[in-house]
Amino acid sequence: MEGERLAYDFDTIVDRRGTGCMKWDGMVPLFGRNDLLPFWVADMDFRSAPEILDALRERVDFGVFGYPIMTEAAREAVANWEFERHQWCVVPSEVDFVPGVVNGLIAAILAFTEPGDGIVVQTPIYPPFFSAIRDNGRRVVENPLIEAEDGYRMDLDHLRSVLTPDVKAIMLCSPHNPVARVWTKEELADLAAVCIERNVLVFCDEIHQDLVYSDAKHVPLSLAAPEIDPLLLTLVAPSKTFNTAGLASSAWIAKDKKIARQMRTTLDKLHQARLNLLGVAALEAAYTKGLPWLEAAMRYLEGNRDFVGAFLRERLPRVRMKHPEATFIFWLDFRDYDMTSAEIQRVLIDRAGVALNPGVTFGAQGEGFARLNVGCPRSRLEEGLTRIAAAFEKY
Ligand SMILES: Cc1ncc(COP(=O)(O)O)c(C=O)c1O
């Protein structure tokens, strides 16, 4: 444990201010000021794995930054990771690349749907799911999650009712941002059955697949229901897992050759089929050497999760949180205060001096919620929560 502490340090405060990072330097557009303690956009305040930093240093020391190709080694790194970590048997030829998962989702929308088509999202949902659909002239079809006492569930009866013939795809978030659910094999198989019955494509965003806590197990959709493969495109990335989002390297996996061909053609047309050189180096190092760091990071994040749970129970009992099974972004329920999202934001910003994503940006179900990013040293998390508790005391 001591050795691990020395090798992988998550407690040291890294001062990111003035480094051109969105989380610390880019708060003005959403929050009106830049002097808040940020718990919003989904990256972490930790330095990435030393194994990744070494690989990047090696590329930088080499000093030539010409056009890269997407190597077999990079495809193998993704395929091996999926097998070893998720028991999903992927062969390297089923893997390809895209500079960002949202870029990949947009490419899939363009590749497989027509303007005016409906695409399902399960709300509340990561906001770019809405904009990816709307900004490309497609129609958002909402299938709100069911909020049960013990967690959120998919509403497959409602899903069936919205699947009219012009609805061509569903964008699945697995695990789900922002409610931090890890969908079970059974839930995924049931969803796949509906999609097969109605011939609906699935664009499956598994960017959070590696950030799963010890009491849950992620199952890739293709593994839960291999019969969905002819309708399935899966997106994965080391970016959330290893805190390398700024390097914009992601991968997509399609077992069906027709799906793969169509996606590749669209990415070529968009000139979006290649990663940048440092992104490739980081991706390969993450997936081949990053596991010990990730295991340590997950233990630390799980400590943060449990810390938040205990803090809310003891100091902020009117703010509720359903037990997060995954991700470092948690969905806080402030509805007991009977305030609008805008009013909650005013208290968080003006009185607590913290930046949390406003719930309503995740859809109408987000009214009364805010999303908290716990990807930071525990001392900072404690400071933020203490400020929130003090600010809400008088309401
Ligand atoms: C579900 C989900 N998809 C995609 C992204 C962003 O991916 P990228 O930065 O690779 O576009 C995020 C970031 O928070 C996310 O939560």
Side-chain angles (χ1 to χ4, degrees), residues 42 100-103 126 129 173 177 205 207-208 239-240 250 329:
V101 165
V102 175
N103 307 42
Y126 173 60
F129 274 37
C173 192
N177 171 8
D205 177 342
I207 196 169
H208 296 285
S239 52
K240 298 285 149 193
S250 314
I329 38 189

Side-chain angles (χ1 to χ4, degrees), residues 192-257:
V194 175
C195 295
I196 292 166
E197 175 191 311
R198 301 297 185 89
N199 197 31
V200 169
L201 292 158
V202 186
F203 307 148
C204 186
D205 177 342
E206 297 195 12
I207 196 169
H208 296 285
Q209 62 170 212
D210 300 310
L211 296 164
V212 170
Y213 296 115
S214 58
D215 44 14
K217 167 89 181 128
H218 173 78
V219 186
L221 178 60
S222 168
L223 184 60
E227 60 280 11
I228 193 76
D229 283 344
L231 294 168
L232 176 62
L233 182 97
T234 301
L235 289 137
V236 299
S239 52
K240 298 285 149 193
T241 315
F242 294 97
N243 208 25
T244 57
L247 294 170
S249 47
S250 314
W252 56 272
I253 300 167
K255 295 222 157 247
D256 184 83
K257 288 201 167 48

